[in-house]
Amino acid sequence: MRHDVTLLVNTSDGFADCWDPFFALLQEHWPGCDWPIVLNTEHLDYAHEGLDIRCSRVAEGSTRRLTWSECLMRCLEGVRTPFVLYLQEDYFLEAAVRADALEELLQLMRHDQADVIRIMECGGAGPWHPSAHPWLWEVDARSPYRISLQAGLWRREVLQRQLRAHESPWQLEVFGTGRARRRRGERVMCANRDMF
């Protein structure tokens, strides 16, 4: 089946000890997942029985240690789908994934009603505003963390535009938020915290 979304698990080789439990929980809580899976590694390869995982190995051939952002930039260059579900290797699933809900959220993105949908919304990132969809709030342009690296659906090109080679993940959230404020028209949504 052809998909327009990739499950992107962002990691680094130093966190390889998280990969087995991450993917075991993914299999347990999302057994029907047939999305392409990319594990963003630096040099290491990895396989998990029953899952088709492609390792990006973004630092192969590099003569220096790549920054966090450079690794993600290189990985995204190899992703061919217009959307990604961004996760990190320590976002361990604790319950069944509602694939039907993810599909509904992707439909909103396919119809240009959102560019980012933050699935895991943390406190302190508001203000938020109601949206046309009861599950979602719109993240205000003045939010101190309009850009967040919690679990979320992204239009791949929007995530790529946010990245700067020299930035750490924490810098991306802070400085990317500033960039997002200046970029009119991009809709950042999040899970309605009154419901989830």
Side-chain angles (χ1 to χ4, degrees), residues 107-180:
Q107 281 296 92
L108 295 174
M109 297 182 81
R110 291 176 184 125
H111 292 100
D112 295 323
Q113 295 174 359
D115 296 295
V116 181
I117 299 177
R118 295 168 11 182
I119 296 168
M120 179 64 189
E121 187 59 15
C122 296
W128 305 280
H129 306 287
S131 77
H133 196 289
W135 295 354
L136 299 176
W137 288 341
E138 188 151 2
V139 180
D140 192 275
R142 295 165 295 154
S143 168
Y145 288 98
R146 184 167 167 82
I147 298 302
S148 169
L149 292 171
Q150 292 298 319
L153 290 164
W154 285 79
R155 192 173 302 278
R156 178 181 42 84
E157 64 187 24
V158 169
L159 182 53
Q160 288 176 299
R161 275 198 303 265
Q162 281 296 336
L163 295 170
R164 301 296 183 269
H166 62 280
E167 289 181 352
S168 71
W170 303 278
Q171 290 171 322
L172 170 62
E173 289 185 326
V174 172
F175 299 126
T177 290
R179 291 189 288 273

Side-chain angles (χ1 to χ4, degrees), residues 63-82:
T63 58
R64 62 176 177 79
R65 177 86 191 259
L66 299 179
T67 67
W68 178 89
S69 287
E70 287 174 316
C71 289
L72 185 52
M73 291 166 81
R74 286 186 179 194
C75 178
L76 288 168
E77 287 171 6
V79 171
R80 296 291 164 238
T81 60

